Amino acid sequence: MKMIRMKQCSVSVFIGLLMVLGAVTVHAADKIVHDAEYYVLEAQNGEKWAKEDKVLEQKLADLKKKFGTPPNIIHIMWDDTAFGDVGIPAIQKVRGLDTPHLNTMAEEGILFTRMYTEVGCTPSRAAAATGRLAIRNGMYNIGMLREMHGMRDEEVTIAEVLSNAGYATAFHGKWHLGDIEESYPHNQGFDEAFFTGYNQILSLWTRTGEIGNATMGLYEDILPEDPYKLDDTFVTKGWVQIAEGKKGEKTRQWGDNSHENYMKIDPEAQRRTLEFIERNAKAGKPFYIANWPMLNSFLPLPEKCSTSRSNLQQGLECNIDPFVGKLLAKLKELGIAENTLVIAMADNGPMAHNPPPGGGFAETIFRGGKGDFLEGGVRVPAQAWWPGVIEPGQIAGDIIHEVDLFTTFARLAGATQYIPTDRIVDGIDQTSLLLNGDTHSRRDHVFIYAGPRLGATVKGNFKRHWISPDPVGEASGIPAAFFFLPPDPREKSPMLANLIHLKSPFNRMRLRHELWKKKYPDSRDKKGIPWTGIENATPEVEALSRPYVDKNKLPFDPLEYIEHLDELPFDPNMDPDIGQ
């Protein structure tokens, strides 16, 4: 055990930290490294947790003996849904949808009221896959067409951890963690993958979308010729809508880039998931599946099945909910329901800002949506189902974050020894919350990033906005940027005098968080040529790896800009207008 050296830290801050922590020590090399705040909690609750862990270990051992394998794990995560749109029928009545299978799942398990995520789909998926906040690996930029970025090979995914423990692993659906070869899910630990590199806007990047003006200027061949056009390299001409591959094997594009093909993605992903379950259940092999559906098209569809008629509600009621019903029935049919944990949740809040027409996205209890550090952007519907293990009918008020799923899944699988110990893993083991229920979380805090900037910190029922609604007060050091969430879930009433006593505690939290980063620095995402390694690549996709013009005719390297993409997305001095 050795004392952390806090370089460039004032003596007063150092003494203050010691007063809070008693002594900050680094765990042995074989221990998971968590964020600093976890150790403050462990120092106060460690003995109680250790006693709980002995009981939990025995229970997990008994389950393994009974079923012959550690539990199967299924993680279903869809997009952009406000808290209450799933699992709370009263809100669904207002919102014009019904999800009977998902609601039954919540009734038969745990409905989480404080499941936090990252603010957008790419950072959220990176967090779930690695157990690390997206700021840790630079995956906070929402990937769009020809983004030329992705998750680095050095990141360790839950698929890699569980594969090392003998699990079969599969990814089916919306990956959205990069369009470079290194980031493909079957190159990130999954045995098999059926995946998209981008999000639902793929439904608009189609000839159908161009014809309907939902996308403008992407398909130049069906538009009138522009007599003033000089540059034929500006608009992207090649990409992959959906790809498939197996670990160690070639990657292939599945279908084409049409809207018709897009609408086949979720049905095919669901078919593959059910087949994967049956195949491994019959082989007696534990499995992990991430089925992260596309949910729906951004183009309005002619057939309406929900009262709201909107894309979100249509996707939940007519796509995801029937699939969940089939999945739970399949688990029961195969006799493995009592040895399978199913988590179903959204990846972030609703697309409340600039949604596509007919999207149906709206705030419910909380203010804010996708992209916001407000509760509405990061507090999502989520539930856990595990018959015979999770006590039914629970509503948990504990704080849990999606990064916790990584460490919890590893604990359930007996695979924590495969979690890397050379970096911060934000995920906290929440096995006690799942098995013991409400009030057994080991987390009471959340750091919420807006891109690369720390937007807010939650501690219990209190919240501090760092991107402040009171810039004048912030400049003087006494901002009205503190919130008490139970009576103010929409964060409309910032407090100063009532909560100014929390200024120093929140400052201590932030300093601990940032000082720990000095020992374990954040890394960056990887930049590169998109969609390489596609065995059946179209000529347009193959052309992405070549300069579009003759290099000898340019006084610079036309691909040099790739190494400078980090300089574009965010200006740390800009006013982001987030949370206003």
Side-chain angles (χ1 to χ4, degrees), residues 419-432:
I419 293 176
T421 57
D422 61 347
R423 67 200 70 184
I424 292 174
V425 173
D426 296 286
I428 294 170
D429 175 21
Q430 297 283 20
T431 302
S432 186

Side-chain angles (χ1 to χ4, degrees), residues 338-356:
E338 293 186 355
N339 196 38
T340 304
L341 168 65
V342 182
I343 301 285
M345 62 182 289
D347 66 346
N348 47 250
M351 193 186 295
H353 311 297
N354 305 307

Side-chain angles (χ1 to χ4, degrees), residues 8 24 28 31 58 120 127 268 276 285 288 314 356 382 541 548 561:
Q8 299 176 343
V24 184
K31 296 291 185 180
Q58 186 58 54
E268 177 64 15
F276 186 83
K285 189 177 179 68
Y288 165 73
Q314 293 275 119
V541 169
Y548 273 23
Y561 74 95

Side-chain angles (χ1 to χ4, degrees), residues 73 122 135 153 165 184 202 287 298 360-361 420 436 514:
I73 301 168
T122 295
I135 189 66
D153 178 69
Y184 302 165
L202 281 163
F287 59 81
F298 277 172
F361 304 99
N436 293 328
E514 294 179 349

Side-chain angles (χ1 to χ4, degrees), residues 31-50:
K31 296 291 185 180
I32 300 169
V33 179
H34 291 298
D35 197 8
E37 199 65 17
Y38 170 79
Y39 298 108
V40 177
L41 306 183
E42 185 185 49
Q44 301 171 74
N45 299 278
E47 291 184 8
K48 181 182 74 172
W49 292 348

Side-chain angles (χ1 to χ4, degrees), residues 79 187 201 261 291 369 376 435:
D79 282 75
N187 293 334
I201 206 167
N261 194 73
N291 185 295
L435 273 60

